[in-house]
PDB file of all heavy atoms in Angstrom:
ATOM      1  N   GLY A   1     -81.486-100.873 -27.873  1.00  0.00           N
ATOM      2  CA  GLY A   1     -82.682-100.104 -28.011  1.00  0.00           C
ATOM      3  C   GLY A   1     -83.693-100.870 -28.784  1.00  0.00           C
ATOM      4  O   GLY A   1     -83.866-102.092 -28.601  1.00  0.00           O
ATOM      5  N   ALA A   2     -84.422-100.175 -29.761  1.00  0.00           N
ATOM      6  CA  ALA A   2     -85.381-100.850 -30.561  1.00  0.00           C
ATOM      7  C   ALA A   2     -84.870-101.422 -31.866  1.00  0.00           C
ATOM      8  O   ALA A   2     -85.355-102.260 -32.497  1.00  0.00           O
ATOM      9  CB  ALA A   2     -86.569 -99.942 -30.782  1.00  0.00           C
ATOM     10  N   ALA A   3     -83.578-100.865 -32.164  1.00  0.00           N
ATOM     11  CA  ALA A   3     -82.983-101.268 -33.538  1.00  0.00           C
ATOM     12  C   ALA A   3     -82.208-102.566 -33.291  1.00  0.00           C
ATOM     13  O   ALA A   3     -81.663-102.936 -32.271  1.00  0.00           O
ATOM     14  CB  ALA A   3     -82.092-100.226 -33.910  1.00  0.00           C
ATOM     15  N   PRO A   4     -82.184-103.387 -34.356  1.00  0.00           N
ATOM     16  CA  PRO A   4     -81.434-104.668 -34.336  1.00  0.00           C
ATOM     17  C   PRO A   4     -79.901-104.445 -34.320  1.00  0.00           C
ATOM     18  O   PRO A   4     -79.410-103.326 -34.738  1.00  0.00           O
ATOM     19  CB  PRO A   4     -81.845-105.370 -35.640  1.00  0.00           C
ATOM     20  CG  PRO A   4     -82.417-104.397 -36.460  1.00  0.00           C
ATOM     21  CD  PRO A   4     -82.902-103.238 -35.620  1.00  0.00           C
ATOM     22  N   VAL A   5     -79.175-105.332 -33.764  1.00  0.00           N
ATOM     23  CA  VAL A   5     -77.753-105.182 -33.731  1.00  0.00           C
ATOM     24  C   VAL A   5     -77.182-106.246 -34.753  1.00  0.00           C
ATOM     25  O   VAL A   5     -77.473-107.409 -34.582  1.00  0.00           O
ATOM     26  CB  VAL A   5     -77.252-105.462 -32.358  1.00  0.00           C
ATOM     27  CG1 VAL A   5     -75.667-105.484 -32.285  1.00  0.00           C
ATOM     28  CG2 VAL A   5     -77.718-104.491 -31.372  1.00  0.00           C
ATOM     29  N   THR A   6     -76.371-105.808 -35.674  1.00  0.00           N
ATOM     30  CA  THR A   6     -75.774-106.806 -36.633  1.00  0.00           C
ATOM     31  C   THR A   6     -74.340-106.961 -36.267  1.00  0.00           C
ATOM     32  O   THR A   6     -73.666-105.968 -35.768  1.00  0.00           O
ATOM     33  CB  THR A   6     -75.840-106.265 -38.039  1.00  0.00           C
ATOM     34  OG1 THR A   6     -75.307-104.982 -38.289  1.00  0.00           O
ATOM     35  CG2 THR A   6     -77.313-106.261 -38.510  1.00  0.00           C
ATOM     36  N   ILE A   7     -73.749-108.166 -36.490  1.00  0.00           N
ATOM     37  CA  ILE A   7     -72.488-108.432 -36.075  1.00  0.00           C
ATOM     38  C   ILE A   7     -71.743-109.128 -37.277  1.00  0.00           C
ATOM     39  O   ILE A   7     -72.341-110.051 -37.906  1.00  0.00           O
ATOM     40  CB  ILE A   7     -72.402-109.438 -34.951  1.00  0.00           C
ATOM     41  CG1 ILE A   7     -73.192-108.854 -33.725  1.00  0.00           C
ATOM     42  CG2 ILE A   7     -71.039-109.814 -34.537  1.00  0.00           C
ATOM     43  CD1 ILE A   7     -73.571-109.776 -32.590  1.00  0.00           C
ATOM     44  N   GLY A   8     -70.484-108.700 -37.585  1.00  0.00           N
ATOM     45  CA  GLY A   8     -69.723-109.302 -38.697  1.00  0.00           C
ATOM     46  C   GLY A   8     -68.460-108.459 -38.960  1.00  0.00           C
ATOM     47  O   GLY A   8     -68.173-107.508 -38.237  1.00  0.00           O
ATOM     48  N   ARG A   9     -67.779-108.905 -40.027  1.00  0.00           N
ATOM     49  CA  ARG A   9     -66.518-108.166 -40.385  1.00  0.00           C
ATOM     50  C   ARG A   9     -66.839-106.898 -41.319  1.00  0.00           C
ATOM     51  O   ARG A   9     -65.925-106.028 -41.307  1.00  0.00           O
ATOM     52  CB  ARG A   9     -65.666-109.107 -41.202  1.00  0.00           C
ATOM     53  CG  ARG A   9     -64.791-109.972 -40.383  1.00  0.00           C
ATOM     54  CD  ARG A   9     -63.709-110.629 -41.158  1.00  0.00           C
ATOM     55  NE  ARG A   9     -64.142-111.151 -42.482  1.00  0.00           N
ATOM     56  CZ  ARG A   9     -63.565-112.098 -43.087  1.00  0.00           C
ATOM     57  NH1 ARG A   9     -62.588-112.853 -42.497  1.00  0.00           N
ATOM     58  NH2 ARG A   9     -64.025-112.565 -44.200  1.00  0.00           N
ATOM     59  N   ALA A  10     -67.879-106.893 -41.967  1.00  0.00           N
ATOM     60  CA  ALA A  10     -68.238-105.702 -42.861  1.00  0.00           C
ATOM     61  C   ALA A  10     -68.380-104.462 -42.015  1.00  0.00           C
ATOM     62  O   ALA A  10     -68.835-104.440 -40.903  1.00  0.00           O
ATOM     63  CB  ALA A  10     -69.402-105.998 -43.717  1.00  0.00           C
ATOM     64  N   ALA A  11     -68.017-103.261 -42.592  1.00  0.00           N
ATOM     65  CA  ALA A  11     -67.990-102.039 -41.909  1.00  0.00           C
ATOM     66  C   ALA A  11     -69.353-101.588 -41.589  1.00  0.00           C
ATOM     67  O   ALA A  11     -69.611-100.748 -40.648  1.00  0.00           O
ATOM     68  CB  ALA A  11     -67.333-101.008 -42.813  1.00  0.00           C
ATOM     69  N   GLU A  12     -70.407-102.013 -42.320  1.00  0.00           N
ATOM     70  CA  GLU A  12     -71.719-101.575 -41.963  1.00  0.00           C
ATOM     71  C   GLU A  12     -72.428-102.134 -40.777  1.00  0.00           C
ATOM     72  O   GLU A  12     -73.543-101.813 -40.452  1.00  0.00           O
ATOM     73  CB  GLU A  12     -72.667-101.787 -43.304  1.00  0.00           C
ATOM     74  CG  GLU A  12     -73.078-103.178 -43.526  1.00  0.00           C
ATOM     75  CD  GLU A  12     -72.437-103.775 -44.719  1.00  0.00           C
ATOM     76  OE1 GLU A  12     -71.614-103.235 -45.339  1.00  0.00           O
ATOM     77  OE2 GLU A  12     -72.881-104.865 -45.070  1.00  0.00           O
ATOM     78  N   ASN A  13     -71.779-103.142 -40.142  1.00  0.00           N
ATOM     79  CA  ASN A  13     -72.374-103.856 -38.989  1.00  0.00           C
ATOM     80  C   ASN A  13     -72.298-102.836 -37.798  1.00  0.00           C
ATOM     81  O   ASN A  13     -71.421-101.964 -37.679  1.00  0.00           O
ATOM     82  CB  ASN A  13     -71.589-105.072 -38.711  1.00  0.00           C
ATOM     83  CG  ASN A  13     -71.904-106.165 -39.727  1.00  0.00           C
ATOM     84  OD1 ASN A  13     -73.014-106.496 -39.935  1.00  0.00           O
ATOM     85  ND2 ASN A  13     -70.844-106.540 -40.427  1.00  0.00           N
ATOM     86  N   THR A  14     -73.237-103.232 -36.812  1.00  0.00           N
ATOM     87  CA  THR A  14     -73.214-102.378 -35.551  1.00  0.00           C
ATOM     88  C   THR A  14     -72.000-102.734 -34.772  1.00  0.00           C
ATOM     89  O   THR A  14     -71.351-101.878 -34.176  1.00  0.00           O
ATOM     90  CB  THR A  14     -74.420-102.789 -34.724  1.00  0.00           C
ATOM     91  OG1 THR A  14     -75.608-102.653 -35.524  1.00  0.00           O
ATOM     92  CG2 THR A  14     -74.549-101.846 -33.488  1.00  0.00           C
ATOM     93  N   LEU A  15     -71.605-104.033 -34.640  1.00  0.00           N
ATOM     94  CA  LEU A  15     -70.419-104.573 -34.015  1.00  0.00           C
ATOM     95  C   LEU A  15     -69.494-105.124 -35.041  1.00  0.00           C
ATOM     96  O   LEU A  15     -69.887-106.188 -35.568  1.00  0.00           O
ATOM     97  CB  LEU A  15     -70.793-105.522 -32.929  1.00  0.00           C
ATOM     98  CG  LEU A  15     -69.630-106.155 -32.168  1.00  0.00           C
ATOM     99  CD1 LEU A  15     -68.752-105.137 -31.409  1.00  0.00           C
ATOM    100  CD2 LEU A  15     -70.119-107.139 -31.100  1.00  0.00           C
ATOM    101  N   VAL A  16     -68.389-104.513 -35.368  1.00  0.00           N
ATOM    102  CA  VAL A  16     -67.459-105.038 -36.343  1.00  0.00           C
ATOM    103  C   VAL A  16     -66.385-105.846 -35.689  1.00  0.00           C
ATOM    104  O   VAL A  16     -65.713-105.268 -34.750  1.00  0.00           O
ATOM    105  CB  VAL A  16     -66.864-103.874 -37.134  1.00  0.00           C
ATOM    106  CG1 VAL A  16     -65.871-104.327 -38.229  1.00  0.00           C
ATOM    107  CG2 VAL A  16     -67.917-102.965 -37.804  1.00  0.00           C
ATOM    108  N   LEU A  17     -66.284-107.122 -36.100  1.00  0.00           N
ATOM    109  CA  LEU A  17     -65.262-108.035 -35.514  1.00  0.00           C
ATOM    110  C   LEU A  17     -64.098-108.298 -36.522  1.00  0.00           C
ATOM    111  O   LEU A  17     -64.453-108.716 -37.669  1.00  0.00           O
ATOM    112  CB  LEU A  17     -65.874-109.344 -34.993  1.00  0.00           C
ATOM    113  CG  LEU A  17     -67.011-109.148 -33.981  1.00  0.00           C
ATOM    114  CD1 LEU A  17     -67.589-110.540 -33.665  1.00  0.00           C
ATOM    115  CD2 LEU A  17     -66.474-108.528 -32.731  1.00  0.00           C
ATOM    116  N   ASP A  18     -62.914-108.006 -36.193  1.00  0.00           N
ATOM    117  CA  ASP A  18     -61.807-108.352 -37.089  1.00  0.00           C
ATOM    118  C   ASP A  18     -61.349-109.743 -36.692  1.00  0.00           C
ATOM    119  O   ASP A  18     -60.402-109.901 -35.858  1.00  0.00           O
ATOM    120  CB  ASP A  18     -60.724-107.300 -36.893  1.00  0.00           C
ATOM    121  CG  ASP A  18     -59.549-107.476 -37.827  1.00  0.00           C
ATOM    122  OD1 ASP A  18     -59.846-108.022 -38.894  1.00  0.00           O
ATOM    123  OD2 ASP A  18     -58.413-107.025 -37.542  1.00  0.00           O
ATOM    124  N   ASP A  19     -61.937-110.767 -37.253  1.00  0.00           N
ATOM    125  CA  ASP A  19     -61.668-112.132 -36.941  1.00  0.00           C
ATOM    126  C   ASP A  19     -61.791-112.943 -38.228  1.00  0.00           C
ATOM    127  O   ASP A  19     -62.766-112.803 -39.012  1.00  0.00           O
ATOM    128  CB  ASP A  19     -62.649-112.606 -35.875  1.00  0.00           C
ATOM    129  CG  ASP A  19     -62.435-113.992 -35.353  1.00  0.00           C
ATOM    130  OD1 ASP A  19     -61.631-114.742 -35.945  1.00  0.00           O
ATOM    131  OD2 ASP A  19     -63.075-114.270 -34.290  1.00  0.00           O
ATOM    132  N   ASP A  20     -60.766-113.834 -38.467  1.00  0.00           N
ATOM    133  CA  ASP A  20     -60.857-114.586 -39.739  1.00  0.00           C
ATOM    134  C   ASP A  20     -61.987-115.656 -39.724  1.00  0.00           C
ATOM    135  O   ASP A  20     -62.365-116.144 -40.781  1.00  0.00           O
ATOM    136  CB  ASP A  20     -59.511-115.348 -39.881  1.00  0.00           C
ATOM    137  CG  ASP A  20     -58.347-114.393 -40.104  1.00  0.00           C
ATOM    138  OD1 ASP A  20     -58.660-113.312 -40.689  1.00  0.00           O
ATOM    139  OD2 ASP A  20     -57.288-114.808 -39.928  1.00  0.00           O
ATOM    140  N   TYR A  21     -62.588-115.960 -38.512  1.00  0.00           N
ATOM    141  CA  TYR A  21     -63.683-116.933 -38.429  1.00  0.00           C
ATOM    142  C   TYR A  21     -65.074-116.318 -38.521  1.00  0.00           C
ATOM    143  O   TYR A  21     -66.009-116.989 -38.252  1.00  0.00           O
ATOM    144  CB  TYR A  21     -63.498-117.753 -37.232  1.00  0.00           C
ATOM    145  CG  TYR A  21     -62.283-118.613 -37.216  1.00  0.00           C
ATOM    146  CD1 TYR A  21     -61.142-118.108 -36.474  1.00  0.00           C
ATOM    147  CD2 TYR A  21     -62.065-119.725 -38.007  1.00  0.00           C
ATOM    148  CE1 TYR A  21     -59.922-118.895 -36.493  1.00  0.00           C
ATOM    149  CE2 TYR A  21     -60.949-120.356 -38.008  1.00  0.00           C
ATOM    150  CZ  TYR A  21     -59.825-120.028 -37.291  1.00  0.00           C
ATOM    151  OH  TYR A  21     -58.690-120.778 -37.341  1.00  0.00           O
ATOM    152  N   VAL A  22     -65.139-114.971 -38.787  1.00  0.00           N
ATOM    153  CA  VAL A  22     -66.365-114.209 -38.786  1.00  0.00           C
ATOM    154  C   VAL A  22     -66.701-113.802 -40.180  1.00  0.00           C
ATOM    155  O   VAL A  22     -65.780-113.292 -40.879  1.00  0.00           O
ATOM    156  CB  VAL A  22     -66.288-112.977 -37.861  1.00  0.00           C
ATOM    157  CG1 VAL A  22     -67.504-112.122 -37.921  1.00  0.00           C
ATOM    158  CG2 VAL A  22     -66.058-113.466 -36.425  1.00  0.00           C
ATOM    159  N   SER A  23     -67.902-114.026 -40.658  1.00  0.00           N
ATOM    160  CA  SER A  23     -68.329-113.674 -41.973  1.00  0.00           C
ATOM    161  C   SER A  23     -68.626-112.196 -42.084  1.00  0.00           C
ATOM    162  O   SER A  23     -68.726-111.465 -41.102  1.00  0.00           O
ATOM    163  CB  SER A  23     -69.639-114.392 -42.369  1.00  0.00           C
ATOM    164  OG  SER A  23     -69.395-115.856 -42.300  1.00  0.00           O
ATOM    165  N   GLY A  24     -68.755-111.607 -43.287  1.00  0.00           N
ATOM    166  CA  GLY A  24     -69.076-110.194 -43.504  1.00  0.00           C
ATOM    167  C   GLY A  24     -70.326-109.809 -42.752  1.00  0.00           C
ATOM    168  O   GLY A  24     -70.379-108.789 -42.014  1.00  0.00           O
ATOM    169  N   ARG A  25     -71.456-110.529 -42.810  1.00  0.00           N
ATOM    170  CA  ARG A  25     -72.601-110.369 -42.113  1.00  0.00           C
ATOM    171  C   ARG A  25     -72.941-111.684 -41.375  1.00  0.00           C
ATOM    172  O   ARG A  25     -73.508-112.593 -41.994  1.00  0.00           O
ATOM    173  CB  ARG A  25     -73.855-109.982 -43.146  1.00  0.00           C
ATOM    174  CG  ARG A  25     -73.723-108.510 -43.501  1.00  0.00           C
ATOM    175  CD  ARG A  25     -74.907-108.069 -44.344  1.00  0.00           C
ATOM    176  NE  ARG A  25     -76.252-108.499 -43.830  1.00  0.00           N
ATOM    177  CZ  ARG A  25     -76.990-107.850 -42.946  1.00  0.00           C
ATOM    178  NH1 ARG A  25     -76.608-106.710 -42.474  1.00  0.00           N
ATOM    179  NH2 ARG A  25     -78.153-108.286 -42.638  1.00  0.00           N
ATOM    180  N   HIS A  26     -72.529-111.803 -40.222  1.00  0.00           N
ATOM    181  CA  HIS A  26     -72.476-113.010 -39.523  1.00  0.00           C
ATOM    182  C   HIS A  26     -73.838-113.360 -38.769  1.00  0.00           C
ATOM    183  O   HIS A  26     -74.354-114.377 -38.950  1.00  0.00           O
ATOM    184  CB  HIS A  26     -71.335-113.117 -38.566  1.00  0.00           C
ATOM    185  CG  HIS A  26     -70.975-114.457 -38.037  1.00  0.00           C
ATOM    186  ND1 HIS A  26     -69.851-115.224 -38.601  1.00  0.00           N
ATOM    187  CD2 HIS A  26     -71.453-115.260 -37.172  1.00  0.00           C
ATOM    188  CE1 HIS A  26     -69.813-116.419 -38.003  1.00  0.00           C
ATOM    189  NE2 HIS A  26     -70.830-116.418 -37.093  1.00  0.00           N
ATOM    190  N   ALA A  27     -74.145-112.449 -37.821  1.00  0.00           N
ATOM    191  CA  ALA A  27     -75.296-112.698 -37.030  1.00  0.00           C
ATOM    192  C   ALA A  27     -76.111-111.441 -36.740  1.00  0.00           C
ATOM    193  O   ALA A  27     -75.489-110.296 -36.966  1.00  0.00           O
ATOM    194  CB  ALA A  27     -74.912-113.377 -35.700  1.00  0.00           C
ATOM    195  N   ARG A  28     -77.279-111.600 -36.194  1.00  0.00           N
ATOM    196  CA  ARG A  28     -78.107-110.438 -35.925  1.00  0.00           C
ATOM    197  C   ARG A  28     -78.811-110.678 -34.573  1.00  0.00           C
ATOM    198  O   ARG A  28     -79.340-111.804 -34.347  1.00  0.00           O
ATOM    199  CB  ARG A  28     -79.151-110.222 -37.023  1.00  0.00           C
ATOM    200  CG  ARG A  28     -80.046-109.160 -36.806  1.00  0.00           C
ATOM    201  CD  ARG A  28     -80.919-108.931 -38.102  1.00  0.00           C
ATOM    202  NE  ARG A  28     -81.832-109.983 -38.199  1.00  0.00           N
ATOM    203  CZ  ARG A  28     -83.155-109.812 -38.543  1.00  0.00           C
ATOM    204  NH1 ARG A  28     -83.634-108.683 -38.711  1.00  0.00           N
ATOM    205  NH2 ARG A  28     -83.933-110.899 -38.706  1.00  0.00           N
ATOM    206  N   LEU A  29     -78.906-109.684 -33.743  1.00  0.00           N
ATOM    207  CA  LEU A  29     -79.802-109.715 -32.565  1.00  0.00           C
ATOM    208  C   LEU A  29     -80.897-108.669 -32.788  1.00  0.00           C
ATOM    209  O   LEU A  29     -80.644-107.554 -33.164  1.00  0.00           O
ATOM    210  CB  LEU A  29     -78.999-109.347 -31.292  1.00  0.00           C
ATOM    211  CG  LEU A  29     -78.169-110.363 -30.567  1.00  0.00           C
ATOM    212  CD1 LEU A  29     -76.937-110.748 -31.409  1.00  0.00           C
ATOM    213  CD2 LEU A  29     -77.828-109.888 -29.221  1.00  0.00           C
ATOM    214  N   TYR A  30     -82.094-109.103 -32.405  1.00  0.00           N
ATOM    215  CA  TYR A  30     -83.196-108.114 -32.634  1.00  0.00           C
ATOM    216  C   TYR A  30     -84.299-108.391 -31.525  1.00  0.00           C
ATOM    217  O   TYR A  30     -84.408-109.530 -31.032  1.00  0.00           O
ATOM    218  CB  TYR A  30     -83.820-108.236 -34.002  1.00  0.00           C
ATOM    219  CG  TYR A  30     -84.407-109.657 -34.332  1.00  0.00           C
ATOM    220  CD1 TYR A  30     -85.742-109.933 -34.055  1.00  0.00           C
ATOM    221  CD2 TYR A  30     -83.534-110.620 -34.949  1.00  0.00           C
ATOM    222  CE1 TYR A  30     -86.248-111.177 -34.391  1.00  0.00           C
ATOM    223  CE2 TYR A  30     -84.071-111.899 -35.170  1.00  0.00           C
ATOM    224  CZ  TYR A  30     -85.411-112.167 -34.963  1.00  0.00           C
ATOM    225  OH  TYR A  30     -85.964-113.378 -35.286  1.00  0.00           O
ATOM    226  N   PRO A  31     -84.923-107.273 -31.167  1.00  0.00           N
ATOM    227  CA  PRO A  31     -85.989-107.424 -30.115  1.00  0.00           C
ATOM    228  C   PRO A  31     -87.301-108.084 -30.627  1.00  0.00           C
ATOM    229  O   PRO A  31     -87.649-107.719 -31.823  1.00  0.00           O
ATOM    230  CB  PRO A  31     -86.243-105.986 -29.610  1.00  0.00           C
ATOM    231  CG  PRO A  31     -85.813-105.225 -30.786  1.00  0.00           C
ATOM    232  CD  PRO A  31     -84.790-105.843 -31.521  1.00  0.00           C
ATOM    233  N   HIS A  32     -87.854-108.988 -29.848  1.00  0.00           N
ATOM    234  CA  HIS A  32     -89.128-109.558 -30.379  1.00  0.00           C
ATOM    235  C   HIS A  32     -89.943-109.908 -29.130  1.00  0.00           C
ATOM    236  O   HIS A  32     -89.509-110.746 -28.301  1.00  0.00           O
ATOM    237  CB  HIS A  32     -88.849-110.847 -31.145  1.00  0.00           C
ATOM    238  CG  HIS A  32     -90.087-111.533 -31.623  1.00  0.00           C
ATOM    239  ND1 HIS A  32     -90.840-111.009 -32.646  1.00  0.00           N
ATOM    240  CD2 HIS A  32     -90.650-112.760 -31.360  1.00  0.00           C
ATOM    241  CE1 HIS A  32     -91.868-111.843 -32.899  1.00  0.00           C
ATOM    242  NE2 HIS A  32     -91.854-112.765 -32.064  1.00  0.00           N
ATOM    243  N   GLU A  33     -91.111-109.325 -28.983  1.00  0.00           N
ATOM    244  CA  GLU A  33     -92.017-109.470 -27.811  1.00  0.00           C
ATOM    245  C   GLU A  33     -91.325-109.395 -26.525  1.00  0.00           C
ATOM    246  O   GLU A  33     -91.461-110.336 -25.673  1.00  0.00           O
ATOM    247  CB  GLU A  33     -92.768-110.851 -28.073  1.00  0.00           C
ATOM    248  CG  GLU A  33     -93.579-110.925 -29.295  1.00  0.00           C
ATOM    249  CD  GLU A  33     -94.300-112.258 -29.475  1.00  0.00           C
ATOM    250  OE1 GLU A  33     -94.106-113.135 -28.650  1.00  0.00           O
ATOM    251  OE2 GLU A  33     -94.975-112.398 -30.434  1.00  0.00           O
ATOM    252  N   GLY A  34     -90.603-108.411 -26.299  1.00  0.00           N
ATOM    253  CA  GLY A  34     -89.923-108.184 -25.000  1.00  0.00           C
ATOM    254  C   GLY A  34     -88.742-108.990 -24.700  1.00  0.00           C
ATOM    255  O   GLY A  34     -88.052-108.873 -23.629  1.00  0.00           O
ATOM    256  N   ALA A  35     -88.202-109.753 -25.721  1.00  0.00           N
ATOM    257  CA  ALA A  35     -86.966-110.572 -25.502  1.00  0.00           C
ATOM    258  C   ALA A  35     -86.078-110.253 -26.653  1.00  0.00           C
ATOM    259  O   ALA A  35     -86.465-109.746 -27.751  1.00  0.00           O
ATOM    260  CB  ALA A  35     -87.344-112.081 -25.412  1.00  0.00           C
ATOM    261  N   TRP A  36     -84.795-110.614 -26.551  1.00  0.00           N
ATOM    262  CA  TRP A  36     -83.800-110.497 -27.673  1.00  0.00           C
ATOM    263  C   TRP A  36     -83.682-111.895 -28.339  1.00  0.00           C
ATOM    264  O   TRP A  36     -83.517-112.801 -27.699  1.00  0.00           O
ATOM    265  CB  TRP A  36     -82.499-109.903 -27.102  1.00  0.00           C
ATOM    266  CG  TRP A  36     -82.669-108.410 -26.919  1.00  0.00           C
ATOM    267  CD1 TRP A  36     -83.049-107.832 -25.804  1.00  0.00           C
ATOM    268  CD2 TRP A  36     -82.422-107.433 -27.870  1.00  0.00           C
ATOM    269  NE1 TRP A  36     -83.012-106.454 -26.024  1.00  0.00           N
ATOM    270  CE2 TRP A  36     -82.687-106.219 -27.255  1.00  0.00           C
ATOM    271  CE3 TRP A  36     -81.963-107.460 -29.189  1.00  0.00           C
ATOM    272  CZ2 TRP A  36     -82.586-104.986 -27.857  1.00  0.00           C
ATOM    273  CZ3 TRP A  36     -81.857-106.139 -29.826  1.00  0.00           C
ATOM    274  CH2 TRP A  36     -82.090-104.977 -29.118  1.00  0.00           C
ATOM    275  N   VAL A  37     -83.615-111.855 -29.615  1.00  0.00           N
ATOM    276  CA  VAL A  37     -83.552-113.069 -30.438  1.00  0.00           C
ATOM    277  C   VAL A  37     -82.204-113.000 -31.165  1.00  0.00           C
ATOM    278  O   VAL A  37     -81.812-111.843 -31.708  1.00  0.00           O
ATOM    279  CB  VAL A  37     -84.682-113.215 -31.386  1.00  0.00           C
ATOM    280  CG1 VAL A  37     -84.409-114.420 -32.301  1.00  0.00           C
ATOM    281  CG2 VAL A  37     -85.950-113.270 -30.668  1.00  0.00           C
ATOM    282  N   VAL A  38     -81.428-114.085 -31.196  1.00  0.00           N
ATOM    283  CA  VAL A  38     -80.189-114.136 -32.000  1.00  0.00           C
ATOM    284  C   VAL A  38     -80.343-115.044 -33.188  1.00  0.00           C
ATOM    285  O   VAL A  38     -81.151-115.993 -33.156  1.00  0.00           O
ATOM    286  CB  VAL A  38     -78.993-114.610 -31.096  1.00  0.00           C
ATOM    287  CG1 VAL A  38     -79.186-116.008 -30.639  1.00  0.00           C
ATOM    288  CG2 VAL A  38     -77.673-114.542 -31.779  1.00  0.00           C
ATOM    289  N   GLU A  39     -79.935-114.597 -34.267  1.00  0.00           N
ATOM    290  CA  GLU A  39     -80.079-115.233 -35.633  1.00  0.00           C
ATOM    291  C   GLU A  39     -78.751-115.324 -36.297  1.00  0.00           C
ATOM    292  O   GLU A  39     -78.067-114.343 -36.532  1.00  0.00           O
ATOM    293  CB  GLU A  39     -81.102-114.477 -36.461  1.00  0.00           C
ATOM    294  CG  GLU A  39     -81.373-115.103 -37.770  1.00  0.00           C
ATOM    295  CD  GLU A  39     -82.361-114.248 -38.619  1.00  0.00           C
ATOM    296  OE1 GLU A  39     -82.585-113.093 -38.237  1.00  0.00           O
ATOM    297  OE2 GLU A  39     -82.834-114.781 -39.618  1.00  0.00           O
ATOM    298  N   ASP A  40     -78.369-116.428 -36.872  1.00  0.00           N
ATOM    299  CA  ASP A  40     -77.250-116.595 -37.694  1.00  0.00           C
ATOM    300  C   ASP A  40     -77.591-116.234 -39.111  1.00  0.00           C
ATOM    301  O   ASP A  40     -78.685-116.640 -39.569  1.00  0.00           O
ATOM    302  CB  ASP A  40     -76.745-118.061 -37.685  1.00  0.00           C
ATOM    303  CG  ASP A  40     -75.430-118.228 -38.476  1.00  0.00           C
ATOM    304  OD1 ASP A  40     -74.332-117.901 -37.947  1.00  0.00           O
ATOM    305  OD2 ASP A  40     -75.547-118.678 -39.658  1.00  0.00           O
ATOM    306  N   LEU A  41     -76.830-115.447 -39.861  1.00  0.00           N
ATOM    307  CA  LEU A  41     -77.255-114.906 -41.173  1.00  0.00           C
ATOM    308  C   LEU A  41     -76.586-115.778 -42.309  1.00  0.00           C
ATOM    309  O   LEU A  41     -76.127-115.212 -43.249  1.00  0.00           O
ATOM    310  CB  LEU A  41     -76.866-113.454 -41.273  1.00  0.00           C
ATOM    311  CG  LEU A  41     -77.530-112.528 -40.277  1.00  0.00           C
ATOM    312  CD1 LEU A  41     -77.075-111.054 -40.370  1.00  0.00           C
ATOM    313  CD2 LEU A  41     -79.015-112.530 -40.572  1.00  0.00           C
ATOM    314  N   GLY A  42     -76.464-117.020 -42.030  1.00  0.00           N
ATOM    315  CA  GLY A  42     -75.919-117.854 -43.068  1.00  0.00           C
ATOM    316  C   GLY A  42     -74.434-117.824 -43.068  1.00  0.00           C
ATOM    317  O   GLY A  42     -73.719-117.937 -44.181  1.00  0.00           O
ATOM    318  N   SER A  43     -73.779-117.694 -41.865  1.00  0.00           N
ATOM    319  CA  SER A  43     -72.284-117.496 -41.825  1.00  0.00           C
ATOM    320  C   SER A  43     -71.639-118.900 -42.154  1.00  0.00           C
ATOM    321  O   SER A  43     -72.318-119.994 -42.109  1.00  0.00           O
ATOM    322  CB  SER A  43     -71.867-117.141 -40.459  1.00  0.00           C
ATOM    323  OG  SER A  43     -72.325-118.148 -39.468  1.00  0.00           O
ATOM    324  N   THR A  44     -70.396-118.856 -42.499  1.00  0.00           N
ATOM    325  CA  THR A  44     -69.641-120.075 -42.830  1.00  0.00           C
ATOM    326  C   THR A  44     -69.357-120.915 -41.609  1.00  0.00           C
ATOM    327  O   THR A  44     -69.456-122.125 -41.697  1.00  0.00           O
ATOM    328  CB  THR A  44     -68.283-119.560 -43.544  1.00  0.00           C
ATOM    329  OG1 THR A  44     -68.654-118.869 -44.649  1.00  0.00           O
ATOM    330  CG2 THR A  44     -67.531-120.878 -43.934  1.00  0.00           C
ATOM    331  N   ASN A  45     -68.871-120.236 -40.544  1.00  0.00           N
ATOM    332  CA  ASN A  45     -68.481-120.980 -39.383  1.00  0.00           C
ATOM    333  C   ASN A  45     -69.500-121.100 -38.280  1.00  0.00           C
ATOM    334  O   ASN A  45     -69.269-121.722 -37.244  1.00  0.00           O
ATOM    335  CB  ASN A  45     -67.233-120.339 -38.813  1.00  0.00           C
ATOM    336  CG  ASN A  45     -66.007-120.447 -39.718  1.00  0.00           C
ATOM    337  OD1 ASN A  45     -65.847-121.577 -40.227  1.00  0.00           O
ATOM    338  ND2 ASN A  45     -65.431-119.328 -40.017  1.00  0.00           N
TER     339      ASN A  45
END
């Protein structure tokens, strides 16, 4: 929709991944000018 999608191990993320190689707040997808943008949030891996 219009809201960003956060991905990571922490429970507050939109998509919670139970993976040892995923950080608590790993990545974010957000809409920008009609397209979706993916951004790494300073993850370790």
Side-chain angles (χ1 to χ4, degrees):
V5 176
T6 56
I7 303 165
R9 273 195 318 210
E12 73 249 9
N13 290 303
T14 309
L15 177 60
V16 178
L17 300 176
D18 186 25
D19 185 345
D20 292 336
Y21 298 102
V22 176
S23 298
R25 285 184 41 89
H26 195 101
R28 175 174 71 134
L29 274 74
Y30 59 92
H32 180 71
E33 296 180 0
W36 283 88
V37 176
V38 62
E39 173 185 21
D40 185 78
L41 298 176
S43 64
T44 304
N45 295 310

